Amino acid sequence: MDKDFWANAFAMPRSERRHDELIAKIAQGIARRRLAFPAILALESVKPLNYLASQALIVLTPALGMFIEYATLDDICDMLQERKNVERLIAAIDMENKKLTANPPSP
């Protein structure tokens, strides 16, 4: 067997610092697009199935790869495997939305 084949077979999750950066980036993008409510609703509904959602993203990676970089998709899948990260993402989206509504951008 090829050594590269087994390189990530039993890999540990990414660092929490990388998850923090990714959560902040996703929350800012969602709040900037004014999609906080639908995003929070979707995340709350899949929260009990967060691990399955991360595995579904892995299956959809080839299709989503046209729109999002593969490394980012890999980081998102890794982040969604832990329920606490879903909670943190929901809180970050809510916080970014509150900041945006308190200080609306000028047109």
Side-chain angles (χ1 to χ4, degrees), residues 27-55:
Q28 289 169 356
I30 288 172
R32 188 176 55 244
R33 290 174 180 87
R34 307 272 190 213
L35 295 172
F37 180 74
I40 290 173
L41 183 65
L43 287 169
E44 287 286 352
S45 66
V46 298
K47 191 170 33 173
L49 306 170
N50 65 313
Y51 185 76
L52 291 176
S54 72
Q55 299 305 304

Side-chain angles (χ1 to χ4, degrees), residues 82-97:
E82 296 180 34
R83 184 168 293 173
K84 69 176 182 173
N85 290 328
V86 176
E87 292 285 345
R88 290 170 50 205
L89 179 58
I90 291 169
I93 292 169
D94 191 36
M95 184 180 67
E96 287 294 327
N97 190 46

Side-chain angles (χ1 to χ4, degrees), residues 15 30-31 44 46 58 67-68 70 74 76 81 93 101 106:
S15 71
I30 288 172
E44 287 286 352
V46 298
I58 291 172
F67 308 106
I68 304 171
Y70 287 113
D74 186 41
I76 292 170
Q81 289 184 5
I93 292 169
T101 54
S106 58

